[in-house]
Amino acid sequence: MIVLCGGTKGGVGKTTLATNLAAMRRHGWDALLLDADKQGTASLWAQIRDDAGVNPRVPCVQKQGAKLHLEVKALAEKFQDVVIDAGGRDNMELRAAMIVADVFVTPVMPSSYDFWSLTDVNRLVTDARIINPDLRVIVVVNRGSTNPSVAEVDEVRQLVSEFGGMELAETVLRDRIAFRRAASEGLAVVEMARQDAKAVGEVKGLYREVFGNDHQ
C-alpha cells in the first residue's frame, strides 16, 4: 500500500503522522518511509532512530522532483508499504505522489485557516483522480484540544461533507506532548518506554483507519 501524508498548509503535523504510521507498520511489515519534503524532517527522525539503535529500523529515502511518482512505483515493487511525507504546499512532489497513492491522509488543525486549506486539497484531489480515480482521502483533525468541544470536529465534518469524495477520520489526534517527545527520540508514541495511553490509543485508531484489518 502507498500512503501519502500531505496537504497544502505547513505545520499541521504531516511528518508526525508519517513517522508514526511508518514505525508502527515496520512491526510485522516491510515498510519504507519516503521523505519528499525538502526540509527533510522525516529523514532527520529516521537518522535519530538509527543513531539510537531503535528496532525495528525504519528505512528512509529522500526523493523529490516531478518524476517522484515513477520512483514511488518502483519502490512499491520492493516494499509491502511506502509511507510518504510530502511538504505542506502545492508542489510537484505532492501532485506526483497523489497520482500513485492508495490513501491520502491530510491533517488539519482546528482553526478556520486550516479548514480553508481543504478547499485547495479538494482541488488537488479532483485533478489527481483524473489519473488515480480510486484515491482514498482521509482528513484527520490533528492537535485538537485535550478538552475538546463538540463544535471543533463538527466544523470539519461539515466542510468535508460539502466537498464529497473525502472522509473524516473518526480518530482525532489531540495536542499531546507525547507526540513531540517521541519525535525527538526517533520513535512512534507506541514505542516509548513511558507511554501516554491516550496518545497511543489515538495513533492506533488512525493506523486502523488507514490500513484497515492489517493492524497491530
Side-chain angles (χ1 to χ4, degrees):
M1 181 182 292
I2 301 172
V3 177
L4 167 64
C5 297
T8 60
K9 190 174 185 299
V12 294
K14 291 175 290 296
T15 301
T16 297
L17 268 60
T19 53
N20 273 272
L21 291 173
M24 293 174 72
R25 196 63 171 167
R26 284 293 294 178
H27 289 269
W29 297 82
D30 189 16
L32 172 76
L33 177 61
L34 193 156
D35 189 349
D37 186 352
K38 291 181 174 63
Q39 291 186 344
T41 308
S43 297
L44 175 60
W45 173 89
Q47 186 60 57
I48 293 170
R49 186 181 181 94
D50 279 351
D51 291 345
V54 178
N55 287 311
R57 180 176 178 271
V58 177
C60 179
V61 297
Q62 286 185 295
K63 300 286 184 181
Q64 283 100 35
K67 294 184 178 180
L68 177 67
H69 59 294
L70 299 178
E71 299 190 71
V72 171
K73 289 176 70 174
L75 289 167
E77 294 179 358
K78 300 176 182 178
F79 292 86
Q80 290 176 302
D81 301 284
V82 178
V83 179
I84 306 169
D85 177 27
R89 63 194 65 83
D90 178 359
N91 58 22
M92 67 179 71
E93 287 83 12
L94 178 60
R95 287 174 176 262
M98 288 176 71
I99 63 175
V100 293
D102 297 297
V103 183
F104 175 32
V105 182
T106 184
V108 295
M109 291 196 296
S111 73
S112 295
Y113 294 111
D114 274 61
F115 299 164
W116 295 338
S117 73
L118 286 178
T119 300
D120 294 328
V121 169
N122 183 62
R123 173 177 50 81
L124 293 179
V125 168
T126 300
D127 291 346
R129 282 183 171 149
I130 295 173
I131 299 172
N132 185 11
D134 296 325
L135 177 64
R136 180 184 174 209
V137 182
I138 304 176
V139 178
V140 183
V141 176
N142 189 35
R143 296 180 187 166
S145 171
T146 52
N147 296 303
S149 64
V150 174
E152 185 176 73
V153 177
D154 284 351
E155 288 181 67
V156 186
R157 180 177 292 108
Q158 176 61 35
L159 189 56
V160 169
S161 67
E162 289 175 5
F163 288 131
M166 298 183 187
E167 59 188 90
L168 179 63
E170 293 183 12
T171 303
V172 176
L173 301 183
R174 304 295 176 183
D175 188 14
R176 305 189 190 280
I177 195 169
F179 288 105
R180 294 186 285 279
R181 285 178 175 167
S184 69
E185 297 175 20
L187 300 172
V189 292
V190 300
E191 298 172 321
M192 297 179 72
R194 296 183 60 184
Q195 293 187 354
D196 179 327
K198 291 181 178 178
V200 169
E202 289 164 8
V203 79
K204 282 187 174 182
L206 178 61
Y207 180 96
R208 286 191 291 268
E209 291 192 63
V210 172
F211 290 104
N213 292 328
D214 296 333
H215 60 80
Q216 297 177 321

